[in-house]
Amino acid sequence: KAVVSTQSTGGFEDLMEELSVADHEEDVEEKEAEEKEEEESVENLLFHGHRSDLKWCMKDYRPPKYTYVRYRIPCAIREEVLQSNRVRRVISMLCKQTGRSQEQLDTEASAILEEMGHEFSMTILRCIGGLIRKIFKQIITEVTVHKEGIKELRRLSSQKPLLLIPTHRSYLDFILVTWLLYSYDIKTPVIAAGQDFMFMKGVGALLRRCGAYFIRRSFGKDKLYWALFTEYTQTHIINGDAPVEFFIEGTRSRTGKSLQPKFGMLTIALEPFFDARVSDVAICPITLSYEKTVEENLHVRELMGIPKPKESTTGLIKARAILDNNYGRIHVKAGKILSVYDMAVGKVDRKVRALVPRAVIPSVHPHERSFVNELAYKVLIEQQANAVVFPCSALAAVLLAHIKNKCWSVDICKAESELMWVCDLLIKLGCNLIWDKKQHSQIDHVVHMLAPVVSSDGGRVYVHKSPPTTDHLSSSVFRQCNSLISLGRRRNEFMHIVIHIAIIAKILFHPKSRDRTLNQYSRLRDILQYEFIFMPDSFQSDFDRNVQKLIELKLVSFSNNVYKFIDMKVKDFLVSLIDPFLVTYMDSWQFCISYMPRTLQHSQSLKSLCTRIQTYVSVLYCEPYLYGESINLNVIENSILVLAKLSLVSIDKGKSQVYCIDPFNFSNMIREFALTIRPITAKL
């Protein structure tokens, strides 16, 4: 019996071992199949189509045409805008209000349209495209494109008017989108661009012939300009001449994070749908992820308060040194295309506009405005969901953690080990991270992508201190700021993935009940609403989803209605990501409660107030305790804007008059905030 038992036990163990080996082999095969499928679904845009740049320029370009398009040359478009009902009504109204003649206003309107309108030329686009392709091959390693989204975009381009809404991190964004559409035989867009580019000699004219139409940065209460701009944008959507491209963030993000949406352009673009002049509009969010942006150094300087150099052709020529650098990889993904008709069901009643007389220019109804706001946030959330994170962002977070402990250099093996740990954690949390585990060492490439702030030598990774010139900050404090803000920008590229979890980690510095955790989560989320993108009125579902994720990953436990963070290493890392913002807000508010004007008569501009706070913080802290965010003007400004949102501070529309209106509740909020974010605030 003993022999039989031993033999049967040995056979069972062998069988289990064979089964485990088979399961492992099956898992490996599945992973290889998934990787192969993913490789087949992407393509390098640098070598799409003809390898020869000249043949690529001269290729047979036949994009699908919108079903109801009416071919119009640029001057015919401008003439139709000038004769449109909206423009004629506004001109007639201004004649009565200002006493000017119709001929004078017609002349002014024609001049505005000449200044604004594009002069699209396919010949110029082909030539510029070939030059851009050649330059990109020199400075970019690869431009990865997801083909599935592009195929869907091409299919819908003949069925519905298209709005293309890319992320905005670089001047290269609109160039990349036009290049992408031309490469895949999709009608190239007309692009709403700022007037800054128009004054660049030669460059402005070339951009105009590539489809850019130029709009003023602000035109306030200029009713004629509003009417012309609105009609010019809408006529392209109604007639389907070309997709309309604009940036919902309004301007480039200097911080590496998505900016809060601007609703004006989207409202104008959707008005033809509200008026039932088009049956549907398709919105395509496009995410452009850069391993390294060409303007990175300029963005850092702007965040420190150094004015942005004016766009000029001379400046562009001087910037030719970028041709000697390599900026790594770019990842492009066209997200899920949103149908405005489907999303508006039950939210927008188009019959309301049908009751407005044609002689009256309809205003935007509250339910339409609410719908536009919700849609804008959905576009941003979709853009973030498709964003790709590169390992250099993870290394930036690792180095910032060491700098906080006064270590400006790290052993390269230790840095690589911690980098792999952070990358694995980000992947578990749902981050789209480009991380090739087959490659034995990526640390050299990652360090190169963080240059010149970071370098490696003698088996160590170094973070360099490079002081720029400033007028209002002491050089002793400012020596480290360039590096800190630069690394902070890179870390911010994955903050949209971890922000909800980081808030929860910050709250759970000791076990708390569900209700208390939820209340504090809601409070911190409201405070950080200008720093990160949160879907309005969704804090309950966001909280439940992220807490459940933490529980599934066995990072948090939940028993007896109490949450407890289990993995302290992960908790400390997550808290280190959010602390710089919370500490900066605390410092900013402490300055405001003491020095902010409390009457309109003594008010000051928001820009001036932020500069004073920046100077105050630079003097307040010695080197080891200073975060890059502490003197980041964008973060400081957001800390003031949220006070206005909470009705504690008054800020006029032009941001020229800022003063405190409720100091008592302001003081109470600071005390409550300090209790929420302890223990770090108490330590400082």
Side-chain angles (χ1 to χ4, degrees), residues 1-12:
K1 288 182 181 179
V3 173
V4 173
S5 175
T6 303
Q7 290 176 348
S8 62
T9 304
F12 178 74

Side-chain angles (χ1 to χ4, degrees), residues 613-650:
I613 294 171
Q614 187 189 49
T615 306
Y616 162 77
V617 173
S618 69
V619 175
L620 179 65
Y621 289 133
C622 56
E623 183 173 316
Y625 291 109
L626 185 65
Y627 290 109
E629 284 70 21
S630 297
I631 60 165
N632 184 325
L633 287 176
N634 179 267
V635 180
I636 295 172
E637 181 177 324
N638 289 340
S639 72
I640 307 301
L641 292 176
V642 77
L643 295 177
K645 190 77 172 180
L646 298 172
S647 302
L648 300 172
V649 165
S650 173

Side-chain angles (χ1 to χ4, degrees), residues 23-24 42 89 133 155 165 187 211 233 298 300 328 368 492 536 651 669:
D23 289 341
H24 176 70
V42 298
R89 287 182 208 141
R133 192 174 190 242
R155 184 183 70 82
I165 307 182
K187 186 74 177 76
T233 301
L298 286 176
V300 172
E368 294 171 346
N492 288 344
I651 302 179
M669 192 199 71

Side-chain angles (χ1 to χ4, degrees), residues 50 64 112 159 180 189 209 219 258 363 395 415 431 434 446 450 521 653 676:
H50 296 285
I112 291 173
Q159 301 174 16
L180 173 71
R209 284 166 176 76
F219 32 94
S258 295
S363 58
L395 182 61
C431 184
I434 295 183
V446 174
L450 292 176
Y521 168 83
K653 193 172 183 180
T676 303

Side-chain angles (χ1 to χ4, degrees), residues 518-571:
L518 179 59
N519 289 337
Q520 291 188 352
Y521 168 83
S522 175
R523 188 65 173 168
L524 279 184
R525 176 178 156 134
D526 288 343
I527 287 171
L528 295 172
Q529 61 183 292
Y530 286 100
E531 288 296 336
F532 306 100
I533 303 300
F534 300 115
M535 195 69 190
D537 304 322
S538 66
F539 78 93
Q540 177 80 56
S541 59
D542 288 342
F543 175 80
D544 291 336
R545 184 178 67 255
N546 285 282
V547 164
Q548 185 60 35
K549 182 189 293 185
L550 289 171
I551 293 172
E552 290 173 357
L553 293 173
K554 298 182 180 180
L555 300 175
V556 167
S557 66
F558 181 62
S559 61
N560 299 324
N561 202 37
V562 172
Y563 290 113
K564 181 182 179 181
F565 221 100
I566 301 171
D567 193 323
M568 291 297 105
K569 184 179 179 181
V570 172
K571 173 181 166 294

Side-chain angles (χ1 to χ4, degrees), residues 654-665:
K655 298 182 180 179
S656 60
Q657 295 177 330
V658 183
Y659 62 97
C660 183
I661 58 177
D662 194 347
F664 178 75
N665 284 331

Side-chain angles (χ1 to χ4, degrees), residues 400-401 404 484 488 491-492 495 506 528 531-532 573-587 621 625-632 635-636 673 677 680 684:
L400 285 171
K404 186 68 180 79
L484 292 176
R491 176 212 57 212
N492 288 344
M495 283 299 292
K506 183 63 182 176
L528 295 172
E531 288 296 336
F532 306 100
F573 172 72
L574 294 172
V575 168
S576 72
L577 300 177
I578 196 174
D579 269 344
F581 300 97
L582 300 178
V583 172
T584 301
Y585 275 46
M586 190 68 189
D587 296 334
Y621 289 133
Y625 291 109
L626 185 65
Y627 290 109
E629 284 70 21
S630 297
I631 60 165
N632 184 325
V635 180
I636 295 172
F673 182 64
I677 70 168
I680 187 166
L684 292 178

